[in-house]
Amino acid sequence: MLAGDVVYSAVDEKPKSSPDLARLQDMAVHPDVTFVVDHYTEDWDAVWWARVRGTARMAGGDEETTAVALLREKYPQYESHQLARVVAVDVTEIRGWSGS
């Protein structure tokens, strides 16, 4: 979920092998992250992707409360799930491409 220059991603309460997730440990050691978001459809004119780079951290306090509200507004399925933690990525670069 993009809000301003920050991307928020929830870690929900679904069963995990450990609450100490490897991806969160990696993020703490190497906070510079890159991820790709894409949209595929049979109509190639509507295909697109975006590569996002930024610095990851755990959201806390008022920011976490706001992020949870935004995530629940965008993704109604989160209403019935406890969101254990929220990852915040301070965006430094967005590059993209579209078929049209």
Side-chain angles (χ1 to χ4, degrees), residues 5-62:
D5 291 336
V6 181
V7 172
Y8 294 109
S9 178
V11 179
D12 63 25
E13 91 287 356
K14 288 184 292 202
K16 315 276 193 281
S17 58
S18 166
D20 195 19
L21 301 176
R23 68 180 180 261
L24 299 180
Q25 290 176 21
D26 290 345
M27 184 187 78
V29 175
H30 304 288
D32 293 331
V33 297
T34 301
F35 57 93
V36 174
V37 179
D38 65 5
H39 173 73
Y40 177 79
T41 178
E42 293 296 322
D43 176 2
W44 282 37
D45 287 336
V47 173
W48 60 265
W49 62 261
R51 183 188 69 214
V52 180
R53 291 185 177 174
T55 304
R57 58 187 170 73
M58 299 307 300
D62 289 344

Side-chain angles (χ1 to χ4, degrees), residues 2 32 37 45 49 74 89-91 96:
L2 180 64
D32 293 331
V37 179
D45 287 336
W49 62 261
K74 183 169 177 78
V89 177
D90 298 309
V91 175

